[in-house]
Amino acid sequence: MTSLHQLFQWGIEHQGNSSSSSINSPQTKRELSQFDRNFLNAAMRSDASKMKGILDIYQSKDSTLEEKEIALEDLEFFVQTIDNACDLSHSTVNGLKVLLDAIRYDRKDPNKQGDFFHSSQVRMRAAWVLATALQNNPKLQAEAQNEDALHILTETLNQEISILSLFSIESKKSNEEQSTLEFLERGDLSLIAKLIFAISPLLNSKLAIKQFREESGFHSLNVLLRMKKENINWISDERRALTIQRENQLFTQQEDERLIEMIDKQIEEEEKNQNQSDISDVEDDVRNRARVLQKQRAIIRMQRKLNLNEREKAIEDDYSLWLRCARRTMFTLKRIMDNHDEMKYAFIKDLEGETIQTMSMILHSHSEDPDLREKTVLALSTLLFGGNVLQNRALQDLKANHSSFIQELLSNVMDAQKMEGDESNCRESFDQIINSLRK
């Protein structure tokens, strides 16, 4: 990819003779070579044009799975700047609809017959691009709402969490009832994490929050947060074992050896023919990196063994993903309650205090993570205090009708406070919660 530094160096090399003796003499006109033209075209190419080129690779039927993944990875880099992010909805790039369509899962859709449409890694990367672009970007948030983004993301989140919960609750029984393919493609925690990341900035108005609530988005988040660590570990273990089993069915060692040999020959041939006049642009970069990724995956498949170290690391990685989802959710819930007092009443009233029960379960089952513990206590404190008359009345009703649950919550909060210690950043919140629950 041509950089500004390369453009600067090219300008110095081609600025002509600037000696004092030649100032008044006409300089010899120099025709631009094809290399110069290619170089300038690549150097002066706009980010919007590059983004469009990257999206073209993603949408091409001839692109490999790895090319689509790398294309979305590069697109996420470009949308980190607000101007580029806004271009996603512009006709020049027209990428907003493409990303929303990429996130959806539908094996019955005749337009989605390629495996890449159902790859959790592709869908996760599409959600990541959208999430990055939406952060601190009111203009794109409004454009996304016009494209029904909140509904699409909420629907997808509900489906993914529902399937993950099914596998979690019913354990091995559920895996027998569901196809292996669906088990591998659905309920991926990395995808769920990016969906939550993308939804969060869209919950910026009473109307959006109401829509998310009515479409069961908050309920799905509560279902996710109530998952037990042992179930998350089982899913991680089973999913990876099935992944290896399926890869062994799809890719023989001989096929992977031939693939590696073919890629090595391609790289060797290109290096032999390459010279300084070759200009690399974003599309070339995507394809080259995708080829390297394809080779790396073939090597991993040939060497992979489900040994104890790999198994333990895989389980640890997935639980870390769940913790990331939980932290982001607690942060989002607190922000919503800080900005919309009426949501405190809703969270207390909905399904007999479902959200409060979820927070209690987190403090009981996942309190070893200090960041999640702190975010949960701060969100719980916000939920219980500083509200209106309706909120206070709903809280009193909850105490009167569910005294055993309130006692359990009090016990979990006090246990979590002991883990925090005297230097806790949320010590005041702990004291407020405990005093309120004891009344």
Side-chain angles (χ1 to χ4, degrees), residues 380-394:
L380 182 59
S381 176
T382 303
L383 178 56
L384 297 179
F385 297 100
N388 51 35
V389 175
L390 284 175
Q391 175 209 356
N392 294 329
R393 187 179 300 164

Side-chain angles (χ1 to χ4, degrees), residues 79 154 221 251 289:
V79 301
T154 304
L221 291 177
F251 305 95
R289 287 166 51 216

Side-chain angles (χ1 to χ4, degrees), residues 63 77 132 137 201 211 257 268 352 359 419 421:
S63 296
F77 168 78
T132 300
N137 194 336
Q211 178 186 343
E257 287 174 350
E268 183 182 350
E352 301 295 332
M359 293 177 179
M419 297 186 73

